[in-house]
């Protein structure tokens, strides 16, 4: 049972990380978002992609680490 909860928690963390942790736009459901206006001094696309990739890799590593800890905890309790 505990292992299943640990795996479910890790899956939830991974899903949240991969989806950007939800909307948070403050708009009502079903309301279309206003078109995004790029900033006047937008960073280079390669730099943005690289930093986003690094952040995503850190989140995935954290989720994998949480899953491993949950497995270890479940093994100790059985």
């Amino acid at each position: 049972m505990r292992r299943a909860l640990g795996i479910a928690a890790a899956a939830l963390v991974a899903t949240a990380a991969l989806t950007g942790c939800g909307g948070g736009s403050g708009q009502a459901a079903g309301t279309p978002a206003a078109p995004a206006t790029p900033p006047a001094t937008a960073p280079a696309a390669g730099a943005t992609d690289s930093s986003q990739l690094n952040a995503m890799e850190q989140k995935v590593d954290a989720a994998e680490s949480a899953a491993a800890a949950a497995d270890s905890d479940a093994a100790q309790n059985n």
Side-chain angles (χ1 to χ4, degrees):
M1 175 74 173
R2 252 191 128 144
R3 181 176 180 182
L5 289 175
I7 291 171
L12 180 63
V13 169
T15 301
L18 292 174
T19 60
C21 298
S25 66
Q27 290 182 297
T31 305
T37 304
T41 56
T48 301
D49 292 342
S50 178
S51 65
Q52 288 176 341
L53 179 59
N54 288 339
M56 188 60 63
E57 287 175 345
Q58 289 176 347
K59 291 175 183 178
V60 170
D61 288 344
E64 289 174 344
S65 192
D71 282 344
S72 175
D73 187 40
Q76 290 175 0
N77 291 329
N78 288 331

